[in-house]
Amino acid sequence: YFIQKKMDVIVIIPIDGDALYDVVKEAKSKGICVICYDRIIPNVNADLYVTIDNEMVGMLMGETLIKACPDGGNIFAIYGSPTDKNVEEVERGFKETLKGSKLKIAYSGYCENWLAEIAATHVNKGLEVTDDVVGIMCGNDDIASQVVKVLSENRLAGQVTVVAQDADLAACQRIVEGTQTMTVYKPIEQEASTAATLAVMLGKGEDISSQECEYPVTETMNDGEYDIPYYKIAPVAVTKENMDEVIIDGGFHTREDVYLNVK
């Protein structure tokens, strides 16, 4: 539809990047600029990829687990959908950070289509492998909700370090309550405004790598076949200690909501 309407720029948030290959290639052949937003579309030579730094998301999770479990021990890793390119990047950053630490991934699994309910099955399977677990890495906060539920059923909630991402309200509540240790906040408003600004520039044929640009694009990322312009935004690890500063003062959630269940 957008190709037929002769758009100048198309911004795409791909759930399944591979499925979009043909139509994006067609758009490119018609001279339309394509921006991959938040997730990459492989092998299409997009004009720009704007995202949160997903490897850093994984690194922050790993660093939190190492800090919370200085004596090491067994951890579980419950990732998101295996078809999501972001999951691959988060996993890479996470595993790289754990190298040289005393933590051992005793069990790992993926949640197809990001179905959080699958996480409960994974935790139960992990506990069959070993119930001596010091931490659990969760693909997102929704997955963490199921993980904490199973931990509660096994009287382990609050004793096992749980890390995730997205800064969902429920996760922020769990953090101040003590059943989740950390979530990664991703500044999505900054991501959106950056993509919008750069989309307008591309539409006008302007140089997005120029230092005069509000968000100069100076890096590239390989999409599997091509090195494409890449703009990444740094995420922030949120714990009980900086919840007020990052989440509440930043206007992402209100104090009343975050501390709803804390007396």
Side-chain angles (χ1 to χ4, degrees), residues 21 65 209:
Y21 178 84
L65 283 169
S209 66

Side-chain angles (χ1 to χ4, degrees), residues 11 45 59 99 123 140 151 153 167 193 197 212 216 250:
V11 182
N45 197 20
M59 291 169 61
K99 286 181 179 178
V123 178
N140 66 11
L151 290 175
E153 291 167 354
S193 63
T197 299
E212 296 177 3

Side-chain angles (χ1 to χ4, degrees), residues 114-133:
W114 288 98
L115 287 174
E117 292 76 11
I118 297 174
T121 302
H122 281 312
V123 178
N124 283 317
K125 285 182 178 178
L127 290 173
E128 289 175 9
V129 174
T130 177
D131 59 3
D132 182 16
V133 55

Side-chain angles (χ1 to χ4, degrees), residues 138-156:
C138 306
N140 66 11
D141 287 330
D142 200 20
I143 288 171
S145 69
Q146 295 297 315
V147 168
V148 170
K149 183 179 178 183
V150 175
L151 290 175
S152 297
E153 291 167 354
N154 288 272
R155 298 183 180 181
L156 292 171

Side-chain angles (χ1 to χ4, degrees), residues 89-236:
E89 294 170 20
V90 170
E91 183 177 349
R92 184 163 56 242
F94 179 66
K95 287 182 174 177
E96 191 65 32
T97 303
L98 292 187
K99 286 181 179 178
S101 76
K102 297 177 182 178
L103 294 174
K104 173 191 172 187
I105 300 178
Y107 178 90
S108 64
Y110 296 88
C111 295
E112 297 279 348
N113 299 316
W114 288 98
L115 287 174
E117 292 76 11
I118 297 174
T121 302
H122 281 312
V123 178
N124 283 317
K125 285 182 178 178
L127 290 173
E128 289 175 9
V129 174
T130 177
D131 59 3
D132 182 16
V133 55
V134 297
I136 301 179
M137 178 273 205
C138 306
N140 66 11
D141 287 330
D142 200 20
I143 288 171
S145 69
Q146 295 297 315
V147 168
V148 170
K149 183 179 178 183
V150 175
L151 290 175
S152 297
E153 291 167 354
N154 288 272
R155 298 183 180 181
L156 292 171
Q159 300 176 40
V160 177
T161 299
V162 176
V163 298
Q165 65 168 321
D166 286 345
D168 287 353
L169 175 58
C172 292
Q173 291 173 338
R174 288 193 296 271
I175 289 171
V176 298
E177 292 162 17
T179 56
Q180 183 169 327
T181 309
M182 183 273 273
T183 185
V184 180
Y185 167 64
K186 300 184 292 187
I188 51 178
E189 287 190 10
Q190 182 185 346
E191 183 182 14
S193 63
T194 300
T197 299
L198 294 173
V200 170
M201 290 188 68
L202 283 173
K204 291 180 176 179
E206 296 175 358
D207 181 10
I208 61 173
S209 66
S210 169
Q211 290 303 312
E212 296 177 3
C213 171
E214 185 177 357
Y215 306 108
V217 182
T218 58
E219 294 186 57
T220 61
M221 170 181 272
N222 191 276
D223 72 354
E225 188 173 348
Y226 306 95
D227 290 327
I228 63 172
Y230 173 46
Y231 191 96
K232 61 186 180 184
I233 295 165
V236 181

